[in-house]
Amino acid sequence: MAELSDIEITGTDALRKYVDAARAVAREVAGELEWGAEEISAVLIDTAKGNPLLMGMDVKIRARRIAKRARRAAELQRASAVEMTKLWTDYKIQFAPLFGQKKRRLPKKKVNSDSKRARFDF
């Protein structure tokens, strides 16, 4: 993985580049695996010979089972892209105070007591 190994993690900017590159690679691999699953299924159905009494249904079931593994691998790659996003979010939460960045805080709610129902102004 040349895209990831070329990035030297020395600080926040480098970590951000690494996370973005890792997410991009994971998404590309997921797309390739998804495409491969469809291709595997189509090739197996076209080339395999099944029981003539079942009219090819046994081949379709077995091909779908094989392709499901590739689809599952694609789903795991998409999950790894999500985890990289969570890594960056957790990094900002845990280490932002060390770099002098302020944490984002929600504004305090103000209650407007003029009306019968309490309204919250932001």
Side-chain angles (χ1 to χ4, degrees), residues 12-74:
T12 303
D13 293 335
L15 181 62
R16 180 65 184 182
K17 288 178 187 176
Y18 185 82
V19 167
D20 289 341
R23 287 180 58 221
V25 168
R27 279 190 246 126
E28 287 176 21
V29 171
E32 182 64 32
L33 289 171
E34 191 69 38
W35 178 85
E38 297 300 321
E39 195 70 21
I40 289 168
S41 180
V43 167
L44 290 175
I45 289 171
D46 288 344
T47 60
K49 295 184 180 185
N51 187 339
L53 297 175
L54 296 175
M55 296 181 288
M57 287 304 293
D58 59 333
V59 172
K60 289 180 183 177
I61 291 170
R62 290 184 297 166
R64 186 174 31 188
R65 208 169 157 196
I66 298 297
K68 185 166 85 173
R69 299 286 180 189
R71 284 190 194 94
R72 191 174 297 151

Side-chain angles (χ1 to χ4, degrees), residues 11 18-19 25 28 37 40 43-44 53 60 63 75-76 80 83 86 94 100 107-108 112-113 116 118 122:
Y18 185 82
V19 167
V25 168
E28 287 176 21
I40 289 168
V43 167
L44 290 175
L53 297 175
K60 289 180 183 177
E75 184 63 32
L76 291 171
S80 70
E83 285 299 317
K86 290 179 182 179
Q94 299 298 325
K108 293 184 179 180
N112 186 354
S113 60
K116 291 181 182 178
F122 291 100

